[in-house]
Amino acid sequence: MRSPIDDDIGEYGSVISHTPGPRDGVNANGEFPSQLDPVVIDNLRPTSEGLLAHFHDSDLTPVSDTLTDSEDKQAIVTHTVLDDSPQHEKQALGEKEDVKNDVGDGEAEDDSPYEIVRHSVSNKDTPDMYSLTFRVWLLGIIFTGVLSFVNQFFFYRQNQLSLGGSVVQLLAFPAGYILSHVLPKRKFSTFGWTWSLNPGPFNIKEHVLISIFATASSGSPYAIDVVTIKKIWYQSDLGFVASLLFILTSQIMGYSFAGLTRKFLVYPAAMIWPATLISVTLFRTFHEIQDFGGKMSRTKMFWICFIGSFVWYFVPNFLIPALTYIAVLCYIAPNNIIANQLGDSYNGLGMLNFTLDWSTISSNMGSPIAYPWVMACNLFAGFVIVMWIITPIGYYSNAWNSGNMPIYTAHLYQANGSAYDIHAIMTPDQHLDEAKYAEYGPVRMTFQFAISYGIGFAAIITLLVYIVLHYGKEIYQRVRQSRRMEEDIHMKLMSHYEEVPHWWYIVLFVITFTTSIVICEVYHMMPWYWVIISTVVPLVFTIPVGIIQAISNQQPGLNVITEFIIGYGLPGNPIANVTFKVYGYITMTQALNLVSDLKLGHYMKIPPRHMFIVQLAGTIFASFIELGVAYWLMNTVENICTPEGYPFTCISANTFYSASVLWGLIGPSKLFGSSSPYHPVLYLFFVGALLPIPVWYLQRRYPTSAWRYINIPVAISIAGAMPPMPTASIVNWFIGCFVFNYIIHKYHNTWWQRYAFSLSAGLDSGVAISGILQFGMLTKAKMPQWWGADANHCKLAPTGGFMNRPT
């Protein structure tokens, strides 16, 4: 007889039927959220790591319509447990025949006023179901440690693989089941509180808390970029203790804003947060589906893919690094600089550049399986227009005298194409020396790097206009509804639990805000009054941006706004610039990530105080791990963050450093002023305001035509990642998306629904663990010099511009 793990469901699962609705996605670091349930992924899926998902209204189509022909339609969660389900199964689901809540019999069918929520979220709860257990602490700490270590380790590598919440969701289920059978059930009494290592069957609330614990801050914190560039490029180490306080304050301050905005962003039924609905569906699928048709389980698929990926990664990572990027043009014409520039991935455009390395496919964009096919087409179309059309035209016409630089890089240059030495223009306290700058000359960047800033300017305005056109009326109506609407069933069910008092969040804010001022003043990172100004940004924008995200699943970024504010207000101070951005932009981003988690807990009926505890504990524990890994690598890897330190080349930190120079040391007034060659990119703000309008009109005029598939914000969003993203990475990511989300999804849909995300999680996890093991075992091992041992066969691409090509 197969074990419950083989069936992907414990003995507690009941036989259930219903049609699910969509749900989730982002984490931080960017990082964007966990994966969604395979059965509902047709029309609504989460974003990839590092890019925000922009979905059409059609992406929020009720799942009941999209699953009409699905063979698995009966294998999803419902609000009703069938009468012939065994009693113990009903109890484990938290759906006893006599659900003990105060709603009353007359309100038994009370539900959300929004169909998309009704399709995904149960309108029942068991208030006495245990949640914050020893198993949550044990597995939460383990998964937090693993994810934090892995994600921070790969942050410094060329291929920045990141493990997300889907891995935790998948593995926590069998792990919790096993612990429920092996841990002793003895009860203990501590200070009058009775507890047990094993209170009973592993339940859905424990599963949710473990996932939130592990993903609250598992991505590399933005503040670590500041710590890295100070130590490596500015050669002024902040120190471990100060760095830790800097990270903790920037991460935890977001809790204050998240908690204080619950009344506006969490409690109202109108604030749906579509991303969380995918997570809800996935959790309920794990715990409420019993009959999978006798097929191989998702857990088995995960481990098969994990082992295969683990073993294979030794080949491209150690034995034959040439398989990481197979640059066809560079093999055909190794001595032709234009062929090298077109074919290279790191300093070229990635044309005809393929890979046999999964980390290359998923490390920068996230798993291709986690992105809707139509949205992937939009994104790749934007990539082709920017990188394969606009960039070659501008570069080979020598626009802005960029022809003597590489075609694609985030590095900075002098006018003659030589590397720009920032130490030649700085004072001893690392501020801009105007006299030295005038003598040394202005900074120059590649055409592509400059135009990517302009497209980034356009992108933020485009997104705002797009939201107004597509969601403006809905946002207005939802805001009005949230003020007049009575409590929905989920708010009524949550009234059983003690809420987190506001003063908890106020105390957190006072502590983190005061500590932030002390750190910034003592370590000369930023004047105290700029710390105050930086906190005003999230104070003003968290609620309006949160409302937009809660309704449209799209979050306008404020990083450009913060860069302009501090760049004009405090020019010549690069560390103050990036510090202001951390407190001004990342605090709001972290707050909204936490608000999204709070809404997930709201839907899953998790006691709010338990949510508060695991979010805070996960963030604090992850910060220690991440900073420890960062210092370990920076102190032990020779030539880290340089090409000689491959694979620890720190592509993201390199770009962050360049931004600190451009926006902080030089400043936007010099960089984009009227006398600067880059002044015209500011006009792209106006272009961005116009871009969505004709497409919106055509979509309304011809609602069934191909225009309905075009999404301008998605198409131009890729510019924000170029650089530092290797260009061939997105090419191969798109190929992967075509294979999985078009061919397999279309012709082998049942298999895709069942195994796609288990396969993705297994491949990601296998690469991550294999890479860490190889670093520990094979750091000093040297392979013989031969063709396959060279990871880069495009030797001419990074050395200079086409105007400097050898004769």
Side-chain angles (χ1 to χ4, degrees), residues 544-560:
V545 173
I547 290 173
I548 292 172
Q549 186 175 350
I551 295 170
S552 68
N553 203 40
Q554 302 172 68
Q555 182 190 109
L558 300 181
N559 53 321
V560 171

Side-chain angles (χ1 to χ4, degrees), residues 567-626:
Y568 278 105
L570 199 62
N573 190 335
I575 300 303
N577 185 278
V578 292
T579 303
F580 183 89
K581 187 160 60 171
V582 167
Y583 285 120
Y585 167 54
I586 297 304
T587 297
M588 186 203 74
T589 302
Q590 177 74 345
L592 294 178
N593 288 337
L594 297 170
V595 167
S596 179
D597 281 346
L598 290 176
K599 190 67 177 186
L600 173 61
H602 188 82
Y603 284 144
M604 300 304 296
K605 317 303 179 293
I606 308 295
R609 296 192 177 192
H610 292 179
M611 287 287 296
F612 177 88
I613 291 170
V614 299
Q615 284 184 314
L616 192 59
T619 299
I620 293 173
F621 182 57
S623 298
F624 276 90
I625 299 294
E626 289 154 349

Side-chain angles (χ1 to χ4, degrees), residues 125-385:
D125 180 35
T126 303
D128 58 355
M129 178 183 285
Y130 43 83
S131 52
L132 188 57
T133 64
F134 173 80
R135 291 188 296 244
V136 170
W137 284 104
L138 178 62
L139 294 178
I141 289 172
I142 291 173
F143 283 118
T144 300
V146 171
L147 261 65
S148 300
F149 184 95
V150 168
N151 292 341
Q152 190 59 56
F153 179 87
F154 278 90
F155 167 79
Y156 288 100
R157 289 173 66 94
Q158 188 84 24
N159 286 334
Q160 295 182 313
L161 184 73
S162 179
L163 296 184
S166 60
V167 175
V168 179
Q169 288 171 311
L170 181 66
L171 295 183
F173 181 78
Y177 171 82
I178 292 172
L179 288 179
S180 71
H181 282 69
V182 301
L183 288 176
K185 296 184 178 180
R186 176 187 170 188
K187 294 185 178 181
F188 302 88
S189 181
T190 305
F191 301 112
W193 176 53
T194 302
W195 60 282
S196 173
L197 297 177
N198 187 359
F202 183 66
N203 65 51
I204 193 170
K205 294 189 180 183
E206 291 178 286
H207 196 174
V208 173
L209 283 175
I210 291 169
S211 297
I212 291 174
F213 197 127
T215 58
S217 184
S218 59
S220 179
Y222 209 69
I224 282 188
D225 285 276
V226 180
V227 173
T228 300
I229 66 170
K230 271 184 67 65
K231 182 174 174 62
I232 303 297
W233 281 277
Y234 290 98
Q235 299 171 6
S236 58
D237 187 5
L238 188 59
F240 188 89
V241 174
S243 298
L244 180 62
L245 292 174
F246 178 48
I247 293 170
L248 288 173
T249 54
S250 64
Q251 295 286 91
I252 296 176
M253 192 181 292
Y255 283 93
S256 311
F257 295 101
L260 296 174
T261 58
R262 290 169 296 173
K263 179 180 177 181
F264 307 97
L265 302 178
V266 177
Y267 300 156
M271 300 295 107
I272 288 176
W273 292 87
T276 63
L277 297 176
I278 303 172
S279 289
V280 171
T281 304
L282 180 57
F283 282 120
R284 296 187 67 199
T285 300
F286 270 118
H287 290 265
E288 300 180 4
I289 298 178
Q290 183 183 32
D291 183 8
F292 288 99
K295 302 176 183 177
M296 180 174 65
S297 72
R298 293 180 181 130
T299 305
K300 285 184 179 178
M301 173 61 76
F302 171 87
W303 287 113
I304 290 171
C305 296
F306 175 90
I307 294 171
S309 177
F310 177 91
V311 174
W312 172 252
Y313 192 53
F314 278 85
V315 178
N317 190 56
F318 180 70
L319 298 176
I320 314 177
L323 298 180
T324 300
Y325 288 109
I326 305 172
V328 175
L329 291 178
C330 296
Y331 293 140
I332 295 174
N335 296 319
N336 185 299
I337 192 169
I338 294 181
N340 276 239
Q341 290 176 330
L342 296 180
D344 189 30
S345 180
Y346 302 126
N347 295 104
L349 304 186
M351 295 181 181
L352 294 178
N353 194 319
F354 307 103
T355 186
L356 293 177
D357 180 359
W358 177 257
S359 71
T360 297
I361 296 173
S362 67
S363 59
N364 295 284
M365 291 288 296
S367 173
I369 298 171
Y371 216 86
W373 168 242
V374 171
M375 293 299 101
C377 291
N378 276 271
L379 192 145
F380 189 68
F383 169 83
V384 170
I385 293 171

Side-chain angles (χ1 to χ4, degrees), residues 335-338 341 396 403 796 799-807:
N335 296 319
N336 185 299
I337 192 169
I338 294 181
Q341 290 176 330
Y396 291 115
L796 301 181
T799 57
F802 79 101
M803 295 180 65
N804 298 333
R805 62 184 183 272
T807 57

Side-chain angles (χ1 to χ4, degrees), residues 21 27 39 43 101 154 178 193 206 211 298 356 364 469 521 545 577 583 636 649 656 658 662 695 706 740 751:
N27 198 335
V39 184
N43 288 317
N101 58 52
F154 278 90
I178 292 172
W193 176 53
E206 291 178 286
S211 297
R298 293 180 181 130
L356 293 177
N364 295 284
L469 294 174
E521 281 291 338
V545 173
N577 185 278
Y583 285 120
T636 58
T649 54
F656 190 82
S658 294
L662 296 173
V695 175
F740 285 106
W751 186 97

Side-chain angles (χ1 to χ4, degrees), residues 34-54:
S34 45
Q35 327 289 6
L36 50 120
D37 181 9
V39 184
V40 298
I41 198 158
D42 264 313
N43 288 317
L44 181 62
R45 278 176 292 209
T47 71
S48 61
E49 302 281 8
L51 286 176
L52 188 63
H54 307 284

